[in-house]
Amino acid sequence: MALKSAALLLLALVAFVYAEAFTSQALDCCLSTSSKMIPARTVKSYVKQTVNGGCQIPAIQFITKKNKKLCAPVPEDYNWAARLMDLLDRKQQRK
């Protein structure tokens, strides 16, 4: 009887872990942005964050060379963000 209980408990645990792994995908969203200009020398890439993608605000996530995420406003609001994205795109094309 104890073996059946242990097997059921193990099965329930496996089912729970499996369900969590495939149904709860944590989003890494910017909750706010900073208008402070980010130096190009510190950034290696960027990711566009959209409301349609599950985040609350549109933003640009600039990833630094130390793998930190800096949240900037969308380029329509700040020209420096658009210029930095263009620079990173050109660097990527040269690779």
Side-chain angles (χ1 to χ4, degrees):
M1 189 68 165
L3 188 59
K4 281 186 179 180
S5 296
L8 279 174
L9 182 61
L10 180 61
L11 183 62
L13 181 62
V14 168
F16 176 76
V17 170
Y18 181 80
E20 283 295 309
F22 289 101
T23 59
S24 35
Q25 297 175 359
L27 295 177
D28 192 10
C29 297
C30 296
L31 301 178
S32 64
T33 62
S34 172
S35 59
K36 185 177 178 183
M37 191 188 250
I38 300 169
R41 68 181 179 276
T42 64
V43 179
K44 67 177 180 178
S45 64
Y46 70 91
V47 175
K48 293 179 184 179
Q49 172 179 302
T50 63
V51 176
N52 294 340
C55 296
Q56 293 181 353
I57 62 169
I60 304 299
Q61 292 183 8
F62 287 104
I63 295 40
T64 69
K65 293 177 180 175
K66 294 183 178 183
N67 289 322
K68 298 203 185 280
K69 291 184 181 174
L70 304 176
C71 299
V74 292
E76 292 81 26
D77 297 336
Y78 290 90
N79 286 336
W80 65 262
R83 288 193 305 270
L84 184 51
M85 289 169 61
D86 288 340
L87 176 69
L88 292 168
D89 288 341
R90 282 182 278 158
K91 282 183 179 179
Q92 187 65 30
Q93 288 175 353
R94 283 187 247 150
K95 288 185 177 182

